[in-house]
Amino acid sequence: MGAEDGTGAEERYTVISADCHAGADLLDYKPYLERRYHDDFDAWAAGYVNPYEDLLADTADRNWNSARRLAELEADGIVAEVLFPNTIPPFFPSASLMAPAPTAAEFERRWAGLRAHNRWLADFCAAAPGRRAGVFQILLNDVDAAVEEIHRSTDAGLKGGLLLPGTPPGSGLPELYSRAYDPIWAACAELGVPVNHHAGSASPPLGDEPAARAVFMVETTWFSHRALWHLVFGGAFRRHPGLRLVLTEQGSGWIPGVLDMLDYYHGRLVAAAGRASTAESKFGAGLAAAMGDRPSEVWRENCFVGASFMRPHEVPLRDRIGLDKIMWGSDYPHDEGTHPYTREGLRFAYAGLPREEVAAMTGGNAARVYGFDLAYLDEIAAKTGPTVAEIAEPLDTPPADATSPVFARGGSVRVW
């Protein structure tokens, strides 16, 4: 929480968004590509048709216009951000990192495109020192190349850590519980950078039927949740105790129930493994030795949640989730984000809570996980952050033109 600025100003919160998005305008990626790909990029870009309305609108430059971002976020009460990708990287048909490359040559080009995005992002973060933690991208098809990029991106100053792609059905990749990915977990643990798994990065393609979008909405967070039990049951945290996993924009209310379920299966299978005569014993064979602690204990030691626009009905679960685990996010510049009503969103969710709890969820936890300098950010927040008194005032009527689901009817019932 921000301190007073010495002029008698009201105490303010230092708000860090743990979920924002950025990327270069399409042609601006070219200078960040290795020269040998420039001709291919020119040909690809000339024929590319962007399918995303938000990247064609006059607000698209929020993704890459540094001055505009800083001004709009400060006006919204936010002083720092964790940056996930948003625009189309070179040679990809869409923003999906799981779009399968049909040939080895196409995979090589897409890998070059992701590395170009990472280079661009390092420069974009450097344009606002101390206020942006960039999340770099990899592909899982080549683990050695991924490890090399983890080291290069971290050395380039990207403090946001790794964006972990999913392995949805049909990807042809080993599942995330596979030991094939151990070099990736080892590199992230060694360098102290988190592994981030963002909603939408693990869903399989669903086709173009009318129901596809509704099914996607129902299933996409579940496919993203899978990373948790894959890494837990796969023993990644036991082999790499310093590994940290952040699950972002997947909600947070599901966490206590899922941890209870995982603990149940852990106990059941470990117990069954000791009864060789039972049909269930084969399911628990080797599990205890591989994964170690109960899933809920692993969560307490190693995991965090990027709780984008946390909803009021999730707030009463904060102690069961872990107050030191929750990192609020605005999802800027997406229209489902809280901009320009972040203050209202925070009031709607957090009014009435102890201010030290609000301070942890809106900034303190993110500063610890992503390495932000709170003392530096407090100075900025002393002028632009929402006041403690402001957030303490309940919001009974959401803004009429707000588009964030935090205000959605039926999804944000106040129960505390």
Side-chain angles (χ1 to χ4, degrees):
M1 184 163 55
E4 291 189 358
D5 64 4
T7 62
E10 292 185 86
E11 197 169 16
R12 297 175 184 266
Y13 290 113
T14 298
V15 180
I16 301 170
S17 172
D19 180 28
C20 287
H21 296 264
D25 198 2
L26 188 66
L27 298 181
D28 289 341
Y29 277 123
K30 184 176 178 178
Y32 293 93
L33 274 169
E34 296 159 73
R35 185 173 297 277
R36 60 195 172 104
Y37 295 105
H38 283 192
D39 289 345
D40 284 351
F41 176 78
D42 289 341
W44 172 80
Y48 183 74
V49 178
N50 197 318
Y52 297 104
E53 292 182 5
D54 65 317
L55 297 180
L56 298 172
D58 59 4
T59 55
D61 75 324
R62 286 172 171 162
N63 286 284
W64 57 80
N65 185 327
S66 183
R68 179 175 185 171
R69 283 187 80 98
L70 288 173
E72 291 191 352
L73 289 172
E74 284 188 13
D76 214 23
I78 298 170
V79 297
E81 53 179 338
V82 179
L83 287 176
F84 289 86
N86 198 44
T87 61
I88 310 299
F91 305 121
F92 275 75
S94 71
S96 173
L97 300 189
M98 289 315 305
T103 65
E106 184 64 13
F107 167 75
E108 180 185 338
R109 296 199 316 164
R110 293 185 188 178
W111 182 227
L114 286 194
R115 295 199 308 273
H117 169 81
N118 293 343
R119 295 184 189 107
W120 174 88
L121 184 60
D123 280 353
F124 191 69
C125 290
R131 302 184 66 175
R132 293 173 180 154
V135 178
F136 52 85
Q137 301 183 76
I138 63 162
L139 292 174
L140 297 174
N141 308 60
D142 186 331
V143 170
D144 290 340
V147 170
E148 182 179 344
E149 184 63 13
I150 291 168
H151 282 273
R152 193 207 64 77
S153 294
T154 303
D155 289 344
L158 292 176
K159 300 191 304 179
L162 167 73
L163 177 60
L164 178 64
T167 57
S171 70
L173 294 168
E175 296 285 0
L176 288 178
Y177 54 70
S178 171
R179 288 202 179 201
Y181 303 123
D182 259 13
I184 293 175
W185 315 142
C188 290
E190 173 195 345
L191 296 170
V193 297
V195 171
N196 304 277
H197 197 52
H198 194 281
S201 63
S203 300
L206 293 172
D208 300 320
E209 294 294 321
R213 290 193 177 187
V215 171
F216 175 84
M217 290 294 290
V218 172
E219 294 182 348
T220 185
T221 53
W222 182 86
F223 276 108
S224 299
H225 299 344
R226 292 175 78 222
L228 174 62
W229 51 83
H230 276 236
L231 269 66
V232 168
F233 283 117
F237 299 105
R238 180 170 190 176
R239 295 190 298 278
H240 310 286
L243 183 65
R244 292 176 295 163
L245 176 67
V246 181
L247 301 172
T248 298
E249 202 177 337
Q250 305 174 29
S252 59
W254 59 276
I255 292 169
V258 165
L259 291 178
D260 288 345
M261 177 192 71
L262 297 180
D263 278 355
Y264 163 75
Y265 279 111
H266 173 258
R268 174 179 165 183
L269 294 175
V270 168
R275 297 191 294 269
S277 61
T278 66
E280 197 171 61
S281 62
K282 62 180 181 294
F283 290 100
L287 181 65
M291 66 166 287
D293 293 336
R294 291 187 305 154
S296 60
E297 294 168 345
V298 175
W299 173 267
R300 285 194 291 271
E301 291 297 320
N302 301 90
C303 302
F304 302 86
V305 58
S308 308
F309 39 78
M310 197 173 186
R311 299 160 178 82
H313 71 275
E314 297 170 305
V315 173
L317 298 171
R318 63 195 182 278
D319 289 321
R320 293 181 62 194
I321 297 167
L323 268 168
D324 60 336
K325 304 295 180 182
I326 298 168
M327 302 181 292
W328 177 91
S330 72
D331 202 27
Y332 177 96
H334 292 165
D335 61 5
E336 65 265 31
T338 56
H339 177 267
Y341 297 116
T342 286
R343 288 175 169 83
E344 288 80 1
L346 292 174
R347 288 173 57 196
F348 201 49
Y350 293 149
L353 295 188
R355 59 184 182 177
E356 62 272 14
E357 294 186 8
V358 178
M361 292 187 288
T362 58
N365 294 335
R368 176 166 42 88
V369 171
Y370 292 105
F372 287 102
D373 182 347
L374 266 182
Y376 168 69
L377 295 177
D378 284 349
E379 295 180 6
I380 303 169
K383 302 179 180 65
T384 64
T387 67
V388 172
E390 178 184 10
I391 302 306
E393 183 69 25
L395 180 75
D396 297 321
T397 304
D401 59 342
T403 56
S404 174
V406 73
F407 302 117
R409 185 181 300 276
S412 299
V413 179
R414 297 181 68 88
V415 292
W416 52 276

